[in-house]
Amino acid sequence: MSDMTADATTAAELPRTKTDWVPLALVPALALLALPFVGEPSTWVTLTVAGLAMGMMIFLMASGLTLVFGLMDIINFGHGVFISLGAYATLLVLGPLAGWAQADSVGLNLALLLLCILVAMAVTGVVGAVFERVIVRPVYGSHLKQILVTMGGLIVAEQAIHAIWGASPIPIPLPETLRGAFVLGDIVMERYRVVAVAVGLTVFVAMQLMLNRTRIGLLIRAGVENPEMVEALGYRIKRLFVSVFVAGSALAGLGGVMWAFYRQTLTAGMGMEVMVLVFIVIIIGGLGSVGGCFVGSILVALVANYVGFLAPKLALISNILVMALVLIWRPQGLFPVARR
C-alpha cells in the first residue's frame, strides 16, 4: 500500500511544471497601460482597487466551478443557485445577530461577516451534496443531459427560495464599520471593497496551499490531469468527485455572501445574473485552473472598470472582447490544466 501511495503522489506531482509568467504579467501590464488614459493617479488607484475587489468576488464565485469542470467534466448550469442560496443564508445570521451589524465595532462586524460566511458555506455544501447525488450523478458523461438537468435543478431551487423567503427583494445592510470609505488624500477606497480583496486573497492562498501542499490536493490535481490513473492506483475517484462538488458549492456560497453585502439586496436570481461572467472567467483562465481563474477574474474586472470609466458604451462588451483576445492568443486559456 505504501508503494501505491508513493506512486499516487508521484503521479500527482507530474503535472507540476515551471510557472508561466507571461499571463501573470497581464494584470500589472494592463494597470500600467490604463494609467496614462485615466489621467489622475488618484482616480486610477480608486478604479484599480474597485476592480481588484470585484475580481476577488468573481473569483470566489467561479473558483469552485472551475474545479468541478476540470475534475468531474460536469457542465453545471445550476451553479448560480448556490451563489443565491449562500446570499440568502446570511439572513440566518443577520436575524438573531442584528445588533452586531449595527454595533460600531470592527471586531463584532468582522465576526458577523465570518459567521455569515461559515453558515453560508455549510448550507450550500450540504445542498451541493444532495444536488450532486440526486441531479448530477445520474448524468455523468452526457453534457447535453447535464445542461438540461442542472438548468431544471436551478429553476426548482429558485422557486424553493421564493417559497421560503418570498419573491420580493430583501434589503440587507452592510455592517456599520464596513460602510463608507478610506480617504487618503485624493484617493478614495470603499472599506467593504478592501475587505473583499483581503477575503479573496486569503481564499486563493488557502486553495493554492491545499492543492499543492496536501495529499487531497495532489489527488485532485492528478484527477484533473489523469483520472484513470488515480482510479487504477486504488483511490475512489467518485468520492473525490463528491468532495470537490461539495467544496465548489461551499465556495459559491462564500461568494454569494460577499456579493450579497456588495449589492445590499437579495433576489433569487442574483446568482444566475453573474453566471455568464463566471463562465467567461473560467474559459479565460483555463479549464480546471484555480490560478487561471484568479488571474482571469482580476483581468476581467479591471478591464470592465477601466473601459467603463473611459468608454462607458463599450463596457457591456469588454468581457467578451477580453475572452476573444485571450482565446486567439491561447485557445485553451491562460493556464490550461485539464486535457479533456
Side-chain angles (χ1 to χ4, degrees), residues 177-254:
T177 59
L178 301 185
R179 303 172 189 173
F182 298 110
V183 180
L184 303 174
D186 294 330
I187 300 173
V188 178
M189 297 180 292
E190 291 185 20
R191 294 176 182 177
Y192 183 70
R193 292 181 185 268
V194 174
V195 172
V197 171
V199 172
L201 287 175
T202 301
V203 172
F204 173 68
V205 171
M207 290 184 70
Q208 288 295 97
L209 290 175
M210 188 275 290
L211 289 172
N212 293 288
R213 295 289 183 266
T214 66
R215 176 62 55 82
I216 185 67
L218 293 175
L219 288 173
I220 289 173
R221 289 170 50 233
V224 170
E225 189 72 14
N226 195 334
E228 293 82 7
M229 178 61 72
V230 175
E231 187 78 25
L233 289 172
Y235 291 93
R236 296 186 178 181
I237 198 73
K238 289 184 179 180
R239 288 187 179 179
L240 194 61
F241 283 179
V242 174
S243 64
V244 168
F245 196 92
V246 170
S249 302
L251 285 170
L254 192 165

Side-chain angles (χ1 to χ4, degrees), residues 97-301:
L97 298 178
W100 289 23
Q102 299 169 2
D104 190 15
S105 167
V106 175
L108 284 179
N109 291 168
L110 291 179
L112 178 68
L113 179 62
L114 179 60
L115 280 175
C116 288
I117 289 173
L118 293 176
V119 170
M121 293 182 72
V123 170
T124 52
V126 170
V127 174
V130 176
F131 193 91
E132 189 277 338
R133 180 65 182 87
V134 176
I135 296 178
V136 175
R137 191 175 299 182
V139 293
Y140 277 163
S142 176
H143 288 165
L144 178 59
K145 290 181 180 179
Q146 290 166 12
I147 294 172
L148 296 175
V149 170
T150 55
M151 282 296 293
L154 169 67
I155 295 171
V156 171
E158 285 190 356
Q159 294 307 309
I161 291 175
H162 286 156
I164 297 172
W165 286 287
S168 301
I170 301 176
I172 60 168
L174 268 176
E176 185 66 31
T177 59
L178 301 185
R179 303 172 189 173
F182 298 110
V183 180
L184 303 174
D186 294 330
I187 300 173
V188 178
M189 297 180 292
E190 291 185 20
R191 294 176 182 177
Y192 183 70
R193 292 181 185 268
V194 174
V195 172
V197 171
V199 172
L201 287 175
T202 301
V203 172
F204 173 68
V205 171
M207 290 184 70
Q208 288 295 97
L209 290 175
M210 188 275 290
L211 289 172
N212 293 288
R213 295 289 183 266
T214 66
R215 176 62 55 82
I216 185 67
L218 293 175
L219 288 173
I220 289 173
R221 289 170 50 233
V224 170
E225 189 72 14
N226 195 334
E228 293 82 7
M229 178 61 72
V230 175
E231 187 78 25
L233 289 172
Y235 291 93
R236 296 186 178 181
I237 198 73
K238 289 184 179 180
R239 288 187 179 179
L240 194 61
F241 283 179
V242 174
S243 64
V244 168
F245 196 92
V246 170
S249 302
L251 285 170
L254 192 165
V257 172
M258 302 304 295
W259 186 237
F261 280 117
Y262 174 77
R263 288 185 31 156
Q264 299 184 49
T265 304
L266 300 180
T267 60
M270 63 186 297
M272 197 59 193
E273 292 171 4
V274 297
M275 281 308 295
V276 172
L277 195 57
V278 166
F279 278 113
I280 288 174
V281 164
I282 291 173
I283 293 170
I284 289 174
L287 188 62
S289 172
V290 174
C293 180
F294 182 78
V295 174
S297 299
I298 296 176
L299 190 64
V300 164

